Amino acid sequence: MSWLVGLGMLLMAALLLWAFSALFISMLAGLAVSALLWQPLRWWRRRQLLRELEQNPALDIQRQAPCALFYLLSAAVVLLGCAAALATLIHLPDSLYSPEQLSLICGLAFAISLATLIKLSGNLVSLGEEAAAAAEIRAAWSLAAGIVPMLSLITLIFFVPHTAGWMVWREQWRGYDGTRLRIPLKHNDAEHQQALLQLVRPMLEQGSRILSHRARSRSGGGYTLSAALPARYRFHEDALEMQLAGLMPQEQLNMHLQALISVVEGEASSLPLAYAQCQPSTDWLGRQRFFGRGQQAMQSLRECVRARQSELATALPLLRGNLQEVQVGWIRFRPWPALPRWQAAALPEDEDELQRLDTLR
């Protein structure tokens, strides 16, 4: 019977290793970085103690408190280990872990980092105190380092992103392939910039990407969490640069390019341009008709065309003759730390409104 119990334990360990493989890999990466960085710090501390011992042979090395620089470098080693663990995690394939595990590991990294900073504060406060008083101070701050992060995690549950929000955060930090457009301006002032943003607003909305995660409640029901990975834009070197949150399908991209080219050539009128920018995808229209909402979809299209026509009526006179050739490319994009900073397109904050956006068809 004992061999059956052992076999069961091995199978359970293999199952846990497979289910939490991303957690173990990221933790090993963080521990490896911390261990490698700790070795030169430990060597430097040993050399410092030997130097002090040479100057004062009666010095009690065991009771000699480290200097402030050693405490700061020790905390930096731990924080860099947490950063390495997160960097490893976000670059692992999505199939290795779930969004819940992503939020769990981010929470663990936050708790460890906060505990490290609290303990660092206690060590720095204890400097210059007598040995007994310094030990009491460090013990009190160590206790706080164990309690405060746990309490803060409970508080942050109401403020940190949900699982879909963490998915967006992951995409932004590891980068994604996206379509980039550049539209040079002859007159690059605030008025013409605002008119151009009014013209390309539908493209920024459709060039965003909605990430969704299907979760289950305690009662057994299901619900969907959504968050937006927005398209971004900036004015740089007398041109508007737009970075879409993915690779826009060629048919949809051609529709927008034709609308922009018509404005560049001065041949656009507000009604055809508004209709081209409001035209939903064929798949979206098919889904609406399948669910019996075809009339509502057409009514929404008419309302969008009327709204866009009134908006373009003021923007087009400013843009005629001001835009130059539209340049299109594809790039691996990370929003940070590019300068000048990229601004996110304005999107609805309500999750139901996000689900209704027809983005990156």
Side-chain angles (χ1 to χ4, degrees):
M1 290 298 294
S2 59
W3 67 272
L4 287 176
V5 174
L7 180 60
M9 293 179 65
L10 286 176
L11 291 176
M12 183 63 67
L15 180 61
L16 290 175
L17 183 62
W18 173 77
F20 296 95
S21 57
L23 174 62
F24 295 140
I25 293 172
S26 59
M27 288 178 61
L28 286 175
L31 290 173
V33 169
S34 296
L36 290 174
L37 294 176
W38 177 253
Q39 295 306 314
L41 182 59
R42 184 182 178 185
W43 175 84
W44 173 75
R45 173 61 178 163
R46 186 184 301 112
R47 289 290 303 271
Q48 186 184 40
L49 289 175
L50 290 176
R51 191 180 302 114
E52 293 178 358
L53 188 61
E54 289 176 358
Q55 297 174 359
N56 184 10
L59 183 67
D60 188 356
I61 297 180
Q62 300 297 329
R63 295 188 177 182
Q64 186 68 18
C67 61
L69 180 59
F70 178 80
Y71 287 134
L72 290 171
L73 292 177
S74 300
V77 167
V78 178
L79 295 177
L80 288 174
C82 291
L86 285 179
T88 302
L89 176 71
I90 64 177
H91 286 92
L92 289 175
D94 298 350
S95 58
L96 280 182
Y97 61 98
S98 65
E100 290 88 355
Q101 292 182 9
L102 173 63
S103 58
L104 171 63
I105 298 174
C106 290
L108 289 175
F110 168 79
I112 294 172
S113 301
L114 182 58
T116 301
L117 293 175
I118 294 174
K119 194 167 184 178
L120 170 64
S121 302
N123 290 331
L124 295 178
V125 169
S126 67
L127 292 176
E129 301 289 339
E130 295 183 359
E136 291 180 0
I137 292 173
R138 287 194 294 268
W141 282 83
S142 296
L143 179 62
I147 296 176
V148 173
M150 296 300 103
L151 296 178
S152 64
L153 285 178
I154 298 174
T155 304
L156 288 175
I157 289 174
F158 301 98
F159 300 99
V160 298
H162 50 59
T163 48
W166 283 116
M167 292 164 64
V168 169
W169 174 85
R170 177 183 61 190
E171 290 295 310
Q172 290 174 336
W173 277 105
R174 71 180 177 184
Y176 50 87
D177 295 327
T179 305
R180 177 173 290 187
L181 293 94
R182 188 174 185 273
I183 308 175
L185 286 156
K186 295 179 181 178
H187 305 287
N188 188 23
D189 53 36
E191 186 178 19
H192 289 87
Q193 287 181 2
Q194 190 62 34
L196 182 53
L197 286 178
Q198 190 67 258
L199 173 66
V200 300
R201 181 176 61 81
M203 189 173 191
L204 290 173
E205 291 180 352
Q206 296 174 23
S208 301
R209 181 151 50 107
I210 308 302
L211 299 179
S212 300
H213 172 66
R214 183 70 176 173
R216 299 189 66 84
S217 63
R218 292 182 179 179
S219 60
Y223 58 94
T224 301
L225 298 171
S226 301
L229 180 61
R232 296 179 182 270
Y233 67 92
R234 66 179 181 181
F235 287 94
H236 182 50
E237 296 179 350
D238 294 330
L240 170 65
E241 295 181 349
M242 293 187 295
Q243 180 64 51
L244 306 187
L247 297 173
M248 181 173 281
Q250 194 62 42
E251 181 180 357
Q252 181 190 8
L253 181 61
N254 289 338
M255 182 186 68
H256 286 287
L257 290 178
Q258 289 172 5
L260 292 173
I261 291 172
S262 66
V263 177
V264 172
E265 296 175 350
E267 300 175 353
S269 60
S270 58
L271 180 58
L273 186 56
Y275 183 79
Q277 292 186 338
C278 289
Q279 181 67 29
S281 64
T282 305
D283 292 340
W284 185 85
L285 276 178
R287 289 195 301 270
Q288 298 303 308
R289 289 168 179 160
F290 178 79
F291 290 110
R293 295 195 291 263
Q295 293 291 338
Q296 298 177 6
M298 297 307 297
Q299 179 63 26
S300 299
L301 175 60
R302 287 191 289 268
E303 292 176 357
C304 176
V305 169
R306 284 196 294 268
R308 286 298 296 161
Q309 189 176 7
S310 62
E311 293 170 354
L312 292 171
T314 57
L316 286 179
L318 292 171
L319 296 176
R320 288 194 180 97
N322 188 41
L323 304 184
Q324 302 181 39
E325 181 182 2
V326 182
Q327 303 167 8
V328 184
W330 295 266
I331 193 172
R332 184 77 177 175
F333 177 68
R334 291 182 179 86
W336 305 289
L339 293 175
R341 294 180 61 86
W342 292 86
Q343 301 183 53
L347 298 173
E349 295 183 1
D350 184 74
E351 292 191 11
D352 293 335
E353 293 293 331
L354 285 178
Q355 289 290 346
R356 283 193 283 268
L357 286 178
D358 189 19
T359 62
L360 286 181
R361 302 166 185 171

